[in-house]
Amino acid sequence: MTTTVEERWAWFFRYGPYALLGLATPLAAVAAPLVMTRGEMYAAGALLLAALALQVWWARAMPRSPAAPAGPPVLPGGTPAGRGYFVLRTVLAFALTWLNPFFALYACLGYCDAGHLLPPRAVRAGLLVTAAALAGSQSGGLPPDSLTQWVVFGVLFGFNAALAIGLNHLAAKEEERSQERARTIAALERALAENGALHAQLVHQAREAGVADERRRLAAEIHDTIAQGLAGIIAQLQVVSSTDDPGLAREHLDRAQALARRSLGEARRSVRNLSPAALEHDTLPDALKRTVGEWSERTGVAAGFTVTGTEEPLHGEVAATLLRIAQEALANTGRHARAARAGVTLSYMEDEVTLDIRDDGRGFSPGAVAPRSGSGGFGLDGMRARAERIAGTVAVESEPGQGTAISARVPLVRHG
């Protein structure tokens, strides 16, 4: 079983005094005829019994740690019982050492527990008394009976006192450092716990943001595929229902079927988070050119497509974003602008790509655009959200009767 340093000290403070008394008593008994009178022997015997009684009381009085009630007793710090025990034991040990120098073995306990049992201001006094007892023993007994013995006693007392006080000072400093380390560790543990809580909160928020972003992406993709496709199918079927020309009806039915197939394919690709079908085999300029041409054919609005700058192979997410924005802008133009002409320009610049969609329609006031409703399209909000997902922006310039210009700017991220 692993024993901590504190537990070893606790066992020493409980059983050490018995061991030291047991060692000192036979030595003192052997030397007694040489250094003690009969009366001193009786007195030493009485003091020895008193010391044993004191140790028995103290072994029972020592409290146990609240953290380990079944463990060894702990040495209380600064309690009245502890101070009383130290004073009585030091008096008994000093008196025994005065009668017989070998009892200094018992008196040396004062070096070990003065710092624990006495208040800070009394520690030095306890150490000096202990040093006096040991110096007396080392110099041949107390009291010194000659000048030479007094000198020897003084030197030994000074040495013992300096050694005890110096070591106690170092022990106190080490205790302060230990407490400081304990406070630092506790602060670090609290910081780690707080960081753990913040990390968990960030993970939760990131998960929620990811879910919300995925919902927006799917909603935008479905809007750009199914909703726009259905709108186109409806437009084609309306022409069919209003014409008596079988050839024209056949032509619009074929367009409706093509739109239905394309929308179904786009919806499936959106669910799988794939790029638009138009980009599967074509570059962005080719896909935009075909999209503009099909839109012009479907709506009857004259439209052109222009590329400026040096064409660069774009990252799939960037190309898909620009194509979706173009599709949404053209769909809005077809639904609301009543335009006669439209133009789409794709510009490659040094570190960004811009896409401009212009029309000469009736325009609108951007500040008066109603917020997106559950039944409406994603419109400008959807285009901005798409651009922001790749650190881009969408700007709108329009006035009533002056047409509309939509400009999307995104970073030029090359295909990896």
Side-chain angles (χ1 to χ4, degrees), residues 345-358:
T345 301
L346 179 66
S347 302
Y348 291 90
M349 289 179 281
E350 184 175 355
D351 55 357
E352 65 179 11
V353 185
T354 62
L355 177 69
D356 298 295
I357 305 99
R358 305 169 307 280

Side-chain angles (χ1 to χ4, degrees), residues 54 57 79-89 117-118:
L54 176 65
W57 167 79
T79 62
R83 290 194 292 268
Y85 162 71
F86 184 90
V87 171
L88 287 175
R89 192 197 64 201
L117 297 176
L118 297 178

Side-chain angles (χ1 to χ4, degrees), residues 119-136:
R121 289 181 297 181
V123 170
R124 185 165 297 183
L127 292 174
L128 291 176
V129 173
T130 303
L134 266 71

Side-chain angles (χ1 to χ4, degrees), residues 83-162:
R83 290 194 292 268
Y85 162 71
F86 184 90
V87 171
L88 287 175
R89 192 197 64 201
T90 301
V91 170
L92 290 172
F94 191 90
L96 284 169
T97 304
W98 186 288
L99 296 173
N100 191 311
F102 282 102
F103 282 108
L105 294 173
Y106 179 59
C108 71
L109 282 171
Y111 285 157
C112 302
D113 55 10
H116 295 280
L117 297 176
L118 297 178
R121 289 181 297 181
V123 170
R124 185 165 297 183
L127 292 174
L128 291 176
V129 173
T130 303
L134 266 71
S137 172
Q138 293 161 356
S139 61
L142 293 172
D145 56 4
S146 66
L147 178 60
T148 300
Q149 193 175 0
W150 272 108
V151 172
V152 173
F153 171 78
V155 172
L156 290 173
F157 174 73
F159 173 76
N160 279 275

Side-chain angles (χ1 to χ4, degrees), residues 44 171 383:
M383 286 186 273

Side-chain angles (χ1 to χ4, degrees), residues 386-400:
R386 284 186 180 280
E388 289 170 356
R389 284 179 59 189
I390 57 173
T393 60
V394 170
V396 179
E397 294 181 5
S398 183
E399 291 182 15

